Amino acid sequence: MNEHTARSVVLVRAIELADQNKEVLSDDDRLYASRSARELAQWQASDNKAEVTADDFLQQRAEQILKRLAERTPAFATFAKQRTSWQALSLAGPIIALLLGAGLDRITDPHRVDLLSAPLLFIVTWNILVYLGLLVSLLKPAPLLAWPKRELLRKPRLPRNLPQPLSSSVLSFAAEWMQLSAKLNAARLSRTIHLSAAMFTLGALASLYARGVWSQYAAGWESTFLDAGQVHSLLSVLFAPAVAVFHLQDFSLAEVTALRFPQTNAADGGARWVHLYAATILLLVVLPRLLLAAVGNWRAARLAQHFPLDLDQPYFRQLSGSIGIAAGGTLHVLPYSFTVDEARHRGLTQVAVAMFGEQGHLMLRPSVAYGEEPQAVLGDTDLGVDTTAALFNLSATPEKENHGAFLDYLVAASARDIVVLLDESAFLARMGDHADARARLEERTALWQQFCAFHQAKASVVNLLKPHA
């Protein structure tokens, strides 16, 4: 599944999960989309003489739903067609860097090759530090999303006149997509940064040589704190790779001493030092940066073509089951401050079957007590194989120190996305026939869904006493 298809599929999932009351997509809309997608996927598979895959079905279904929503809500059509600005950034970044590099000599002496040129030495030093930083990051990887979680949930620019379910689904999609596409965006950013660095340096070198065509460079150096011996040692280390690879003429201590400012033969040998600096920067900056840009481009292309979307999640398994390609699965339920009686246990079993088909199974762990440390209780629990669901009572008020800490532990410990089940049965029983029962239910549901989204988990409301209601 490529990036474009994955984006459509994730957007449709966000819409369906947010549209609990079927205000935007009715049951008929969803059923029609599934039937049409199944037929289109079967025709496509028949033409290719292959079997129907979940990727093909989900792609066709997402296209059907987005097309219908676009026809009904033009404002949503504009959002659905939006594309990222990575292509423009990938082109503009290197071009701007090339122009900036070409103007580098404007801030230096245009008639002298300074052996201790601050801009050129800074370019080399900075890039070496970057390589060291990349090496350290390989040994100790940093999280791709280093900014605070509130930035992930920052409200994007929404089109106007969207129905409330669409507005909330777009917000949920924006946060989820930022997380899902983090590796791809990091690869694209890496490619752009490294290519821009290489182009900046090439611009500086091109400007250096171009000015040398109609101007005569004088070579020299001056320093308050360094003597000729120290400068010779520094330049010997700096230019050693260029001298060895390109077999350029080496230099002696006497030659360096003679070039100290002021001196009378400053114009002699200017081209020699230009070549030394150019070859050094080519070896230490341009070639490594181009190589790193090529690696970033390869990673970005691979991730864009094969987007890492986990189709083992319950939502996708349930849809795949409708065309007979679901492989079943186990729903691993972890209740928090929630006692599951026999009736609700049967309800959870039906939820597992609804998620994974007839081959779906339920594994229910003992409830984690309120305020108990999740590490102490779940330290020996394997969260990397089965689909894990945290079970909360919708009647409870979500608390960051307790419910939030529980979710944070599950999200960090699990290799897959965490599902949150919010049982509304006790809340409905408590509200009874009150006139504002529906409004309070929607308010409490929105509070829990926002809370779970902040902790990077998807929340679904279920009634364990009436799971098919």
Side-chain angles (χ1 to χ4, degrees):
M1 184 180 296
N2 59 35
E3 177 192 10
H4 174 69
T5 300
R7 183 183 185 276
S8 299
V9 169
V10 174
L11 177 57
V12 167
R13 179 178 64 173
I15 294 171
E16 290 193 271
L17 294 180
D19 187 26
Q20 296 289 334
N21 296 327
K22 314 295 174 58
E23 300 175 28
V24 175
L25 289 172
S26 66
D27 288 330
D28 290 339
D29 291 333
R30 304 179 193 212
L31 183 59
Y32 174 80
S34 296
R35 288 176 177 174
S36 301
R38 181 169 60 250
E39 294 176 359
L40 292 171
Q42 289 173 345
W43 289 342
Q44 184 178 5
S46 178
D47 291 340
N48 297 332
K49 297 181 179 181
E51 296 183 356
V52 178
T53 65
D55 286 18
D56 296 333
F57 170 69
L58 293 172
Q59 176 184 357
Q60 297 293 346
R61 187 175 184 275
E63 291 177 357
Q64 293 288 327
I65 290 178
L66 293 179
K67 180 179 179 181
R68 176 155 296 193
L69 290 176
E71 292 172 351
R72 296 174 178 174
T73 312
F76 176 77
T78 302
F79 173 80
K81 294 178 181 179
Q82 285 181 358
R83 294 295 178 266
T84 61
S85 57
W86 281 110
Q87 185 174 5
L89 177 63
S90 299
L91 292 175
I95 293 176
I96 294 174
L98 178 66
L99 296 177
L100 291 176
L104 183 65
D105 69 326
R106 300 291 178 177
I107 62 175
T108 61
D109 191 335
H111 299 289
R112 193 177 84 174
V113 179
D114 191 348
L115 273 59
L116 297 178
S117 172
L120 296 179
L121 287 175
F122 175 79
I123 290 176
V124 174
T125 304
W126 169 251
N127 281 272
I128 291 176
L129 291 176
V130 168
Y131 305 149
L132 292 176
L134 292 175
L135 181 60
V136 171
S137 67
L138 290 177
L139 301 176
K140 186 179 180 181
L144 291 174
L145 297 177
W147 47 81
K149 290 180 182 177
R150 63 176 178 271
E151 290 297 321
L152 292 178
L153 302 175
R154 184 173 54 185
K155 186 176 181 179
R157 182 177 298 176
L158 298 178
R160 296 180 179 179
N161 302 323
L162 282 183
Q164 192 279 330
L166 277 183
S167 296
S168 60
S169 64
V170 167
L171 285 171
S172 175
F173 163 76
E176 183 178 13
W177 185 249
M178 184 175 292
Q179 298 176 33
L180 292 175
S181 60
K183 290 184 178 180
L184 174 57
N185 291 337
R188 286 171 169 165
L189 183 61
S190 173
R191 175 191 62 192
T192 302
I193 289 176
H194 292 307
L195 183 58
S196 298
M199 297 305 292
F200 176 84
T201 307
L202 285 175
L205 294 181
S207 177
L208 189 65
Y209 274 99
R211 184 172 292 277
V213 172
W214 59 80
S215 299
Q216 185 176 21
Y217 283 125
W221 64 275
E222 57 183 342
S223 175
T224 302
F225 302 105
L226 300 179
D227 58 29
Q230 293 171 322
V231 172
H232 177 264
S233 299
L234 173 63
L235 296 179
S236 296
V237 173
L238 178 63
F239 295 145
V243 171
V245 173
F246 296 104
H247 305 290
L248 299 177
Q249 182 182 356
D250 205 351
F251 49 90
S252 64
L253 175 59
E255 290 176 306
V256 172
T257 304
L259 292 176
R260 183 163 188 170
F261 180 83
Q263 26 83 8
T264 58
N265 58 344
D268 296 337
R272 172 187 179 186
W273 297 99
V274 170
H275 296 328
L276 282 171
Y277 255 115
T280 297
I281 292 177
L282 181 66
L283 287 176
L284 299 183
V285 180
V286 177
L287 293 181
R289 288 287 195 167
L290 289 177
L291 178 61
L292 290 170
V295 172
N297 183 68
W298 173 80
R299 291 183 60 240
R302 181 172 59 89
L303 290 171
Q305 191 62 32
H306 305 284
F307 194 87
L309 184 62
D310 184 10
L311 298 184
D312 285 335
Q313 298 176 52
Y315 170 86
F316 298 122
R317 280 181 173 268
Q318 186 176 2
L319 287 177
S320 300
S322 65
I323 59 173
I325 59 176
T330 300
L331 179 62
H332 194 170
V333 177
L334 304 174
Y336 184 84
S337 187
F338 192 114
T339 301
V340 180
D341 55 24
E342 184 177 350
R344 289 180 172 83
H345 189 282
R346 290 195 297 269
L348 282 173
T349 302
Q350 296 180 49
V351 170
V353 172
M355 286 183 173
F356 303 119
E358 294 299 328
Q359 299 180 3
H361 301 283
L362 171 68
M363 180 179 293
L364 179 64
R365 279 190 60 95
S367 177
V368 177
Y370 177 84
E372 198 167 9
E373 290 292 334
Q375 297 89 335
V377 181
L378 305 175
D380 59 343
T381 303
D382 184 8
L383 300 176
V385 179
D386 302 321
T387 298
T388 301
L391 177 61
F392 296 114
N393 192 331
L394 189 67
S395 300
T397 301
E399 299 175 356
K400 179 180 179 181
E401 297 79 7
N402 297 296
H403 306 86
F406 182 69
L407 281 179
D408 288 341
Y409 174 80
L410 294 181
V411 170
S414 176
R416 295 182 176 178
D417 290 344
I418 294 297
V419 178
V420 175
L421 299 178
L422 304 171
D423 180 30
E424 65 177 6
S425 59
F427 185 85
L428 293 177
R430 189 182 70 183
M431 294 302 300
D433 297 329
H434 289 185
D436 60 346
R438 175 54 58 182
R440 291 191 179 184
L441 175 62
E442 293 178 355
E443 181 181 352
R444 179 56 61 93
T445 299
L447 173 65
W448 266 103
Q449 288 180 335
Q450 183 179 9
F451 178 82
C452 293
F454 180 82
H455 292 278
Q456 304 180 38
K458 299 291 292 185
S460 297
V461 178
V462 295
N463 189 328
L464 296 183
L465 296 182
K466 299 177 182 179
H468 297 302

